[in-house]
Structure formats: structure tokens, C-alpha cells
Amino acid sequence: MKLLRYGPKGQEKPGCLDAQGQVRDLSDHVDDIAGAGLLPDAIARLQTLDINALPIVRGTPQDDLRLGPCVGQTGKFVCIGLNYADHAAESGLDVPPEPVIFNKWTSAIVGPDDDVLIPRGSQKTDWEVELGIVIGKGGSYIEEADGLDHVAGFCVINDVSEREYQIERAGTWDKGKGCDTFGPTGPWLVTPDEVGDFNALGMWLEVDGKRYQNGSTATMVYKVPHLIAYCSQFMSLQPGDIISTGTPPGVGMGLKPPTYLKGGEVIRLGIDGLGVQTQNVRRAS
């Protein structure tokens, strides 16, 4: 099932995508794609619905019908660094002996096609296509063998990053990761039964039509169940939390010479079966 949230910013309603690419309204069945609505029993109830009997929402999604972030009320936006060996190499760093964890602030979360804003004074704003995990059933000290039981679904994330803030500004990576609009999320939250083999999903990113990233989750160092178990050692995971799992090579920082966003570009990115995002890049006023 492809779950989504549609409508103006801050007023999103719950919906799903039917086989014809139309949005169907779920407001009579769930308050939001968030919180308790992501628990296994709640998702299972939605999956029993006759989608074709649900009200059609007028408009074409990602055209004249805006999609918001595919999950609401996110409490934690946890990210994993250097989780693709080839990306670590292009960054001049070794694969870490255990996952690197950093955070994006939840105020960074925007819809999949909302504008990306370059922060004032930024010269090194970069892109990263990533597979996102959305937590359904929460927990602490989760066993790796049980990790997938805690997944509500998967989605596309653009881990937009300001490299000067991240690396050169005397602090943690978080400084360059959580700026407003640095977390486009969606377009849909795809339940695990529809995703198939999440260890073999093609993923790509283009800027102004030029392909920079062209990878696969197959080269992920630390896999989804391990990441869930690992993160749960340091924090309780709760419904709606997002874990963004790292990026393949092709980020601007790793190019020779490095290439960064200046404003005026269009970013397109996607992951097999999880949809496509499109963002206009502009400078914050």
C-alpha cells in the first residue's frame, strides 16, 4: 500500500495511491499517517479496505495536487553516515566500524516536491538520495532478527547537506544537516509487502537533468534490520520516527572539482518502487 499525505502545508490529509495513480482519501479511516496510525494493527486495517471504493481526491499528485511529507508528527529524524563503502571512499573516509548516527531536525521535513532553500551565506549545499525507514511499532533494545517487525514502510529521502556547516564549523554534523527544507520526504510511504527486496533497490539523483548518483541499496554496509536494532540501543524508537540510511556515491562534495547548489537548479531523485521527488532550489531570503 502506498500511503501519503496531501494538501496545503500544515493542513495535510491522509490518503493512499490507487492503481491508476489517483489519490484516495483516508480521512474516514485514520486521522493522519502518523503516530498510532502507523502501528501494525492500524496499517493492517487500512490494507483490508477496498481502495477503489474510497473517495477520489481531485487533482494529479505531484502536479496540481501537492503532497506533503508522507509521515506526520515525526519525533526523531535519525540519519546514518558513511553507510555505502563507495561513498565513504569518495569522501576520503574509511567505512566506520559501526554505524555513524547524526540527526536532522524535524523542522527540516518538507514535502517531496517543496522548494529546497539554500541557507543565507551557504556556498556548499549538497544533495544525497537515501532510503528512509519509517518506524511503526516502537521499542528499545530491539533484536536484529525482529527489526523488520518495527517498520511501517519505506520512502525516499533527500538528505540535503551544507558541507561547510557540517565539516568546517567546529561542531557535529548536525549543523549542516538540519537546516529548514533539508529533509524532503516522500512522495509515499510504501508498506514492506509492496517494496519487495529492499536490499536491491536502484536509486538515483539528477541536477538539471544530469545524473550524479546512480546506485543501489545492495551496496549498503549496515542493512535495515541492523540499523533498527543499533539505533534502538541509544534511544527508544517511536511510531513515525524516520531513519535515513545513507547515500551512494555521486554527491557534490565528492566530485572533482566539488560541485554545489547555487540556486535555480532542479533536483530530481527516486528509488525503485518508492516514487520520485522534484525540488526547485532557491536561496533563502
Side-chain angles (χ1 to χ4, degrees):
M1 194 171 194
K2 293 181 173 69
L3 300 169
L4 54 86
R5 301 169 69 247
Y6 69 91
K9 294 180 182 180
Q11 302 176 44
E12 291 91 349
K13 296 180 179 181
C16 62
L17 194 73
D18 68 17
Q20 291 72 45
Q22 296 175 300
V23 171
R24 301 281 182 152
D25 182 61
L26 285 172
S27 298
D28 289 341
H29 302 278
V30 66
D31 291 336
D32 197 358
I33 309 301
L38 295 166
L39 292 172
D41 287 350
I43 296 290
R45 283 194 298 271
L46 293 178
Q47 290 176 315
T48 66
L49 297 174
D50 179 0
I51 289 180
N52 294 323
L54 297 171
I56 295 175
V57 178
R58 296 175 64 179
T60 301
Q62 300 187 271
D63 184 359
D64 58 345
L65 176 62
R66 175 186 177 269
L67 298 185
C70 61
V71 59
Q73 303 172 32
T74 295
K76 293 187 288 297
F77 196 161
V78 183
C79 298
I80 308 300
L82 304 175
N83 198 28
Y84 287 72
D86 34 13
H87 170 57
E90 74 171 350
S91 302
L93 299 168
D94 295 331
V95 173
E98 55 186 280
V100 172
I101 296 177
F102 61 91
N103 294 294
K104 293 178 90 73
W105 316 124
T106 56
S107 52
I109 298 173
V110 292
D113 309 304
D114 291 342
D115 290 352
V116 165
L117 302 181
I118 297 176
R120 293 181 185 179
S122 167
Q123 299 299 317
K124 296 183 179 180
T125 296
D126 204 347
W127 56 80
E128 297 188 10
V129 59
E130 304 202 0
L131 173 69
I133 307 164
V134 175
I135 298 297
K137 181 173 70 173
S140 299
Y141 303 105
I142 297 166
E143 295 291 335
E144 185 170 338
D146 300 326
L148 294 180
D149 295 339
H150 294 261
V151 178
F154 297 93
C155 64
V156 181
I157 303 285
N158 188 355
D159 176 19
V160 185
S161 307
E162 212 298 342
R163 302 302 188 186
E164 179 189 357
Y165 301 176
Q166 176 189 353
I167 299 168
E168 303 171 33
R169 293 288 295 273
T172 64
W173 284 13
D174 303 342
K175 282 185 180 179
K177 292 290 190 171
C179 301
D180 288 356
T181 75
F182 273 25
T185 301
W188 10 89
L189 175 64
V190 185
T191 53
D193 58 294
E194 278 204 24
V195 172
D197 185 359
F198 54 82
N199 290 317
L201 301 176
M203 52 202 309
W204 55 272
L205 182 145
E206 299 173 349
V207 179
D208 289 339
K210 181 176 180 179
R211 182 70 57 100
Y212 285 98
Q213 292 189 273
N214 201 25
S216 169
T217 58
T219 64
M220 192 184 291
V221 178
Y222 299 106
K223 306 296 185 180
V224 169
H226 181 80
L227 293 176
I228 293 169
Y230 185 83
C231 290
S232 77
Q233 297 178 41
F234 305 102
M235 67 198 84
S236 62
L237 295 176
Q238 297 160 344
D241 286 349
I242 298 169
I243 302 174
S244 197
T245 58
T247 197
V251 302
M253 179 177 64
L255 301 175
K256 299 186 188 322
T259 300
Y260 298 111
L261 299 166
K262 303 298 184 184
E265 300 94 343
V266 176
I267 306 173
R268 282 180 53 82
L269 60 150
I271 298 178
D272 290 351
L274 302 185
V276 173
Q277 300 183 353
T278 304
Q279 294 115 27
N280 292 308
V281 181
R282 59 185 179 87
R283 290 197 165 269
S285 57

